[in-house]
Amino acid sequence: MTSDAIEKPADTHAFQAEVSRLLHMMVHSVYSNRDIFLRELISNAADACEKLRWMALADPGLLSSDAPLGITIIADKAARTLCVIDNGIGMGRQELVDNLGTIARSGTRAFLDEASDAPDRARLIGQFGVGFYSAFMVASEVEVVSRKAGSDEAWAWTSDGKGTFSVAQATLDSVPTHGTRVLLKLSPESETYAETTTIERIVEEYSAHVPVPIRLADSSEAEARALTDGSALWVKPKSSVTKDEYKDFYGTVSGQWDEPALTVHYKAEGRLEYSVLLFVPSMKPFDLFDPSRKGRIKLYVRRIFISDDVDILPAWARFVRGVIDSEDLPLNLSREMLQTNPMLDSIRKAVTSRTLSELAKLAENEPETFEKIWEAFGPVIKEGLYEDFERRDDLFKIVRFKTTQSADRWRGLAEIVKDLKENQTRIFYVLADTPQRAAASPHLEGFRARDIEVLLLTDPVDAFWVRTALGFNGKPFQSVTQGAADLDAIPPVTKTDEPAAPTDGDPSAGLIAYLKQRLGDRVSDVRASKRLAESAACLVAPDVGPDRAYEKIVSRHEGGSPLQKPVLEINPGHTLLKGMSRGLANGGAAALSDDGILDDAAHLVLAQARVMDGEVPEDTADFARRLSRVMERLFV
């Protein structure tokens, strides 16, 4: 469609670019870490070796020497140079011009396009054609001398990275029988890259597992020494890896010295191909509760390190350490951030599911080993119950709890549901800061009298996941501090003074009415309790709304104001409440006066319930005055 404003056909022009400026921007914007340049050069060299290996399958004559394919790095601190040499496929004159003289043109991409129909397609990493230029971050001049396999000519490409390059014929003895030599003349501020210790560090971090051996020498060494052997533990069959090899590698990827509690090692094949080697530690990593909640899985693509800052596993599995090596993942230009794509999502989903299934197998087959994992990482795994709705049912199979009947051992939900009392329709829980405070909660008294098992939830995340979880095996979760206890259908197994619900003729009905009057809007309701057996009173949340413990957490972030007024539940069978009922009946109107002992007692019952709930009286001065008056009447 042509705009009405155009009367004649337009001339077509190519975009113009100041090449030196474009190159400068590309070099200094794409990469944020200067160390990356060596990773890129090693990746290119590994690709060259892999190309030759693949092409030699059809033409064995290309491998004109018996020397194994590999990479040699030579550092010369005195001359301030760094040289990366490979005996791979090499390049001819035109390939040097095309591949190095055209920014973002990838020889590897062209090679893969040509080889796309081959049954044994080469596994190469460099596909965007920009990694080579990262050398200009550290070099004032780069010289590339290359000899293509099967050719009797060598060519040299030279550039200072400022917009021009030159190509000239080179002597054959300046390169191997086939392959490429990249010589960097380092800038003054980059001379540390001519030190062997620096090279060793970078190779160990980024290129320790490339598929060809890497050797290193400096100008004073007669022979290069091996840095890597061209192997990667995760690509080996599981049956060929020893326990000691797993432990050593675990120490490398985790930085810890404990024994891994679980090792997950497999290779996924099919639409996507990737290798997985993961470890679950037996002790907490130091950064387990880092606010960023980032995982530490190292991502490789064809054995080239890409990142350890990619969220492969969800945050609730951030304690897992290890590597994932993909054969198929595409990368962005810098390789420092992965593109968001369906393939990565598929890997995330599959690896997370496999990790969960391996944990479930361990929990079933080796419960003692799994309990060590749970002791260390249970609070983190439970974050998944709140965040990972898709896998909540699977997580429920492995989560463990301490309960009122098993304070010294962990129990699974399936075991707990199996032991529910007859007519028990819910899984009850109590929230508290510590197991001791949870077990001492007065709200448990009626449950304990009926031998009902209650979950003791003491991790901060517990207050959140129980609010969103529908239940387990058709049994909903309910807090013992929320709503009516609903215990009538389950008879007590021990004798208690627990009262029946008050009637109009019951003295406790008058006491409840009196407490409602005296306490006013400090409580939303007062009622007789089914959950109390020993204590005089407790506070519970209304039938509809959040649990008391959740309310406290929220109120701390809302300026300290509770979201709703609590319900005061009293135990009319308690000696204190019986005495108040008698005093109310005997005192009549006098008991209702502001300075009467019953008025003080009413407020003290509420204060006592607050203390039992882990709080302080609302008005500490008023509490002290009322307590003093009651004590004076007793002792003065």
Side-chain angles (χ1 to χ4, degrees):
M1 181 176 177
T2 303
S3 169
D4 294 338
I6 299 177
E7 296 181 355
K8 297 180 180 180
D11 295 331
T12 300
H13 299 271
F15 284 107
Q16 300 298 312
E18 185 180 343
V19 176
S20 61
R21 181 61 179 162
L22 176 62
L23 184 58
H24 181 274
M25 291 174 59
M26 190 279 300
V27 167
H28 294 282
S29 298
V30 170
Y31 297 99
S32 59
N33 181 358
R34 293 202 306 163
D35 290 353
I36 295 299
F37 86 91
L38 186 56
R39 183 194 72 178
E40 298 298 329
L41 296 182
I42 291 174
S43 299
N44 290 342
D47 279 356
C49 293
E50 186 69 7
K51 290 176 189 177
L52 181 57
R53 182 203 66 79
W54 187 85
M55 294 184 69
L57 295 175
D59 186 1
L62 292 175
L63 289 170
S64 57
S65 69
D66 295 329
L69 297 176
I71 301 168
T72 301
I73 303 173
I74 301 175
D76 189 335
K77 188 174 182 179
R80 210 165 67 199
T81 60
L82 181 68
C83 192
V84 179
I85 304 171
D86 70 76
N87 57 348
I89 189 64
M91 291 178 283
R93 180 186 185 282
Q94 193 58 44
E95 287 173 303
L96 284 171
V97 172
D98 292 342
N99 295 340
L100 305 186
T102 306
I103 297 174
R105 185 188 190 279
S106 171
T108 295
R109 168 59 69 186
F111 179 84
L112 287 176
D113 290 341
E114 293 176 5
S116 59
D117 297 329
D120 185 24
R121 188 179 181 188
R123 300 296 188 180
L124 308 175
I125 186 172
Q127 298 181 24
F128 290 95
V130 298
F132 167 78
Y133 302 101
S134 63
F136 289 108
M137 290 193 297
V138 300
S140 57
E141 182 176 294
V142 178
E143 179 186 80
V144 180
V145 181
S146 189
R147 179 178 180 181
K148 191 173 180 68
S151 174
D152 57 1
E153 293 182 331
W155 296 90
W157 179 99
T158 306
S159 177
D160 59 5
K162 296 180 179 178
T164 62
F165 65 90
S166 62
V167 179
Q169 193 161 6
T171 59
L172 293 179
D173 59 2
S174 61
V175 289
T177 307
H178 48 73
T180 301
R181 186 193 72 182
V182 180
L183 177 66
L184 307 185
K185 297 180 181 179
L186 299 171
S187 57
E189 63 272 17
S190 304
E191 60 183 11
T192 56
Y193 291 108
E195 296 177 0
T196 55
T197 53
T198 302
I199 302 304
E200 289 172 352
R201 175 183 60 79
I202 297 174
V203 171
E204 173 66 25
E205 182 174 0
Y206 291 103
S207 305
H209 305 287
V210 294
V212 293
I214 301 175
R215 300 173 66 82
L216 172 65
D218 64 25
S219 56
S220 64
E221 294 176 330
E223 187 175 345
R225 52 193 168 87
L227 288 185
T228 71
D229 61 2
S231 66
L233 191 68
W234 58 83
V235 300
K236 295 180 179 179
K238 186 176 181 179
S239 58
S240 68
V241 183
T242 67
K243 184 178 180 180
D244 286 341
E245 286 178 315
Y246 277 135
K247 182 181 178 182
D248 290 344
F249 187 73
Y250 163 72
T252 299
V253 298
S254 69
Q256 298 187 187
W257 303 105
D258 57 315
E259 292 271 357
L262 175 65
T263 300
V264 181
H265 186 190
Y266 69 97
K267 182 174 183 178
E269 296 180 316
R271 187 174 65 88
L272 294 177
E273 184 176 334
Y274 53 92
S275 298
V276 177
L277 179 52
L278 303 178
F279 302 95
V280 176
S282 55
M283 60 179 287
K284 297 177 183 179
F286 73 93
D287 56 354
L288 182 62
F289 293 103
D290 187 285
S292 66
R293 301 170 70 231
K294 284 283 188 181
R296 294 294 184 268
I297 303 298
K298 296 180 182 294
L299 179 65
Y300 288 74
V301 171
R302 303 178 197 112
R303 294 161 66 175
I304 301 294
F305 174 72
I306 302 303
S307 176
D308 59 2
D309 194 29
V310 179
D311 292 325
I312 299 296
L313 292 177
W316 60 261
R318 60 185 177 274
F319 53 87
V320 179
R321 298 293 188 262
V323 301
I324 295 176
D325 186 2
S326 170
E327 297 288 346
D328 305 291
L329 273 176
L331 309 171
N332 71 358
L333 293 178
S334 70
R335 303 182 192 166
E336 294 176 278
M337 292 289 291
L338 288 174
Q339 295 171 348
T340 301
N341 63 83
M343 284 190 287
L344 181 58
D345 290 339
S346 295
I347 292 176
R348 284 188 178 115
K349 185 175 182 179
V351 173
T352 302
S353 296
R354 180 63 178 262
T355 302
L356 252 178
S357 68
E358 293 293 335
L359 286 170
K361 288 179 186 176
L362 187 69
E364 182 178 354
N365 301 327
E366 300 180 46
E368 291 184 1
T369 302
F370 179 77
E371 283 187 8
K372 293 180 181 178
I373 293 176
W374 186 258
E375 288 277 2
F377 307 113
V380 176
I381 294 175
K382 283 193 287 186
E383 292 175 12
L385 296 176
Y386 179 65
E387 298 174 335
D388 199 342
F389 300 105
E390 181 182 352
R391 299 180 182 88
R392 180 181 281 169
D393 289 341
D394 291 327
L395 285 167
F396 273 144
K397 297 175 183 177
I398 67 169
V399 294
R400 296 291 184 265
F401 300 96
K402 296 287 181 68
T403 73
T404 50
Q405 296 182 358
S406 64
D408 57 346
R409 71 181 185 92
W410 297 102
R411 277 166 61 86
L413 282 173
E415 186 182 5
I416 291 169
V417 168
K418 181 181 177 182
D419 292 341
L420 291 183
K421 298 298 179 185
E422 185 178 358
N423 298 327
Q424 183 179 344
T425 60
R426 300 171 183 272
I427 302 171
F428 294 102
Y429 66 88
V430 59
L431 292 163
D433 297 335
T434 65
Q436 294 76 18
R437 182 171 291 177
S441 171
H443 303 89
L444 297 177
E445 294 170 359
F447 296 88
R448 202 174 277 121
R450 292 168 173 80
D451 199 28
I452 296 174
E453 189 169 21
V454 178
L455 309 185
L456 305 177
L457 304 184
T458 58
D459 294 315
V461 71
D462 289 327
F464 296 90
W465 71 260
V466 290
R467 280 182 50 78
T468 58
L470 297 178
F472 178 78
N473 280 3
K475 305 294 183 181
F477 296 98
Q478 180 171 329
S479 170
V480 299
T481 70
Q482 184 175 25
D486 258 349
L487 299 179
D488 291 335
I490 307 173
V493 296
T494 59
K495 186 179 184 305
T496 70
D497 294 327
E498 188 178 280
T503 62
D504 291 341
D506 192 328
S508 65
L511 176 60
I512 288 174
Y514 174 73
L515 289 173
K516 287 181 181 180
Q517 178 190 17
R518 303 313 298 169
L519 297 179
D521 61 2
R522 296 173 66 188
V523 295
S524 61
D525 194 13
V526 180
R527 64 191 179 204
S529 178
K530 287 292 182 183
R531 73 189 88 220
L532 292 175
E534 301 170 3
S535 300
C538 69
L539 295 176
V540 300
D543 295 347
V544 178
D547 166 86
R548 287 281 297 162
Y550 178 81
E551 269 199 323
K552 294 176 187 176
I553 294 174
V554 173
S555 69
R556 286 196 290 266
H557 297 279
E558 298 289 338
S561 300
L563 299 182
Q564 55 185 351
K565 298 296 182 182
V567 174
L568 176 66
E569 285 196 356
I570 63 170
N571 177 6
H574 191 277
T575 303
L576 171 61
L577 278 301
K578 285 182 177 179
M580 291 183 66
S581 293
R582 288 193 300 270
L584 184 64
N586 297 334
L592 300 180
S593 64
D594 289 342
D595 60 351
I597 189 171
L598 280 178
D599 180 67
D600 286 336
H603 287 84
L604 290 176
V605 166
L606 175 60
Q608 181 188 31
R610 288 180 61 88
V611 171
M612 292 291 288
D613 207 31
E615 302 179 57
V616 297
E618 286 181 300
D619 187 337
T620 55
D622 179 70
F623 168 76
R625 284 193 298 269
R626 291 182 184 277
L627 183 61
S628 294
R629 285 201 296 264
V630 170
M631 295 179 70
E632 286 172 1
R633 290 183 176 113
L634 290 174
F635 299 111
V636 177

